[in-house]
Amino acid sequence: MADDGLETYRAKRTAGSTPEPMASTARAGRGPRMFVVHQHDATRMHWDLRLEIDGVLCSWAVPKEPSMDPEDKRLALKSETPPLDYVHFEAVIPDGNYGAGPMIAWDRGLFRPLIDPAQGMLDGEIKFELYGYKLRGAFTLVHTGKGTRGRFSGRGSNDWLLIKKRDEPALEFLAGKQELSGASVLSGLTVDELDARAPRHQQVLRA
Ligand code: MN
């Protein structure tokens, strides 16, 4: 297949064994950029923040739930880039596949970069706005260059920080004293509820 930036993603997966998309479908015209945050109960629970940049979804695995509170800086580990169609993905990745486990669309909406995001990836700082159901307003992703043991490990490090900017949506959130919902914005299901309905569990019914 042509070089489409998805080699690392595809190398970890077997088409036909997982319902995940293997390539981006062609898009007519240029729509607004999208983002999605998947809550993914794999080996460890994490939230995959995915931003539409250069025709793929640049992704970071966030070990703690993303926050609308500017005080909550979240570690965000750069991960492989899935195809654009992943913005619609919500399913249980079957056992035996990479990332096996339930994955819900925890949030989704429009992604508006405030700088050239491809350049920002290179420079290690991306300023952007999200227009989702849960995450709203301005955020910054900063490449810290710190290794997992806190030592400087240079350009090869995957460690970034996700920081909410103090703006109107942040102040509204803080004033409301509400927690962000754990339900999918597509199905209304939590990861546990999706997992309980997964096809792999139907093997029990067929037995
Ligand atoms: Mn994941």
mmCIF file of all heavy atoms in Angstrom, residues 40 46 48 50 103, ligand 1:
data_model
loop_
_atom_site.group_PDB
_atom_site.id
_atom_site.type_symbol
_atom_site.label_atom_id
_atom_site.label_comp_id
_atom_site.label_asym_id
_atom_site.label_seq_id
_atom_site.Cartn_x
_atom_site.Cartn_y
_atom_site.Cartn_z
ATOM 1 N N HIS A 40 -10.373 3.693 26.272
ATOM 2 C CA HIS A 40 -9.939 2.386 25.792
ATOM 3 C C HIS A 40 -9.485 1.548 26.982
ATOM 4 O O HIS A 40 -8.479 1.850 27.608
ATOM 5 C CB HIS A 40 -8.789 2.617 24.783
ATOM 6 C CG HIS A 40 -8.330 1.388 24.097
ATOM 7 N ND1 HIS A 40 -7.185 1.365 23.329
ATOM 8 C CD2 HIS A 40 -8.854 0.137 24.036
ATOM 9 C CE1 HIS A 40 -7.022 0.148 22.835
ATOM 10 N NE2 HIS A 40 -8.011 -0.620 23.249
ATOM 11 N N HIS A 46 -7.009 3.878 29.417
ATOM 12 C CA HIS A 46 -6.441 5.153 28.990
ATOM 13 C C HIS A 46 -7.416 5.834 28.052
ATOM 14 O O HIS A 46 -8.416 5.243 27.633
ATOM 15 C CB HIS A 46 -5.078 4.938 28.313
ATOM 16 C CG HIS A 46 -5.147 4.061 27.092
ATOM 17 N ND1 HIS A 46 -5.103 2.703 27.158
ATOM 18 C CD2 HIS A 46 -5.278 4.365 25.785
ATOM 19 C CE1 HIS A 46 -5.194 2.186 25.949
ATOM 20 N NE2 HIS A 46 -5.316 3.172 25.089
ATOM 21 N N ASP A 48 -7.483 7.891 24.432
ATOM 22 C CA ASP A 48 -6.702 8.184 23.235
ATOM 23 C C ASP A 48 -7.217 9.472 22.600
ATOM 24 O O ASP A 48 -8.323 9.499 22.042
ATOM 25 C CB ASP A 48 -6.824 7.034 22.224
ATOM 26 C CG ASP A 48 -6.106 5.769 22.689
ATOM 27 O OD1 ASP A 48 -4.872 5.827 22.858
ATOM 28 O OD2 ASP A 48 -6.774 4.734 22.879
ATOM 29 N N ARG A 50 -7.159 12.007 19.679
ATOM 30 C CA ARG A 50 -6.783 11.907 18.267
ATOM 31 C C ARG A 50 -7.200 13.180 17.528
ATOM 32 O O ARG A 50 -8.370 13.540 17.523
ATOM 33 C CB ARG A 50 -7.452 10.689 17.634
ATOM 34 C CG ARG A 50 -7.313 9.396 18.444
ATOM 35 C CD ARG A 50 -7.862 8.213 17.685
ATOM 36 N NE ARG A 50 -8.005 7.018 18.507
ATOM 37 C CZ ARG A 50 -6.992 6.186 18.814
ATOM 38 N NH1 ARG A 50 -5.787 6.437 18.366
ATOM 39 N NH2 ARG A 50 -7.213 5.105 19.554
ATOM 40 N N MET A 103 -13.598 -0.053 23.410
ATOM 41 C CA MET A 103 -13.183 1.316 23.113
ATOM 42 C C MET A 103 -14.425 2.130 22.745
ATOM 43 O O MET A 103 -15.097 1.825 21.769
ATOM 44 C CB MET A 103 -12.186 1.300 21.947
ATOM 45 C CG MET A 103 -11.627 2.665 21.595
ATOM 46 S SD MET A 103 -10.605 2.595 20.100
ATOM 47 C CE MET A 103 -9.021 2.158 20.780
HETATM 48 MN MN MN B 1 -5.541 2.948 22.964
#
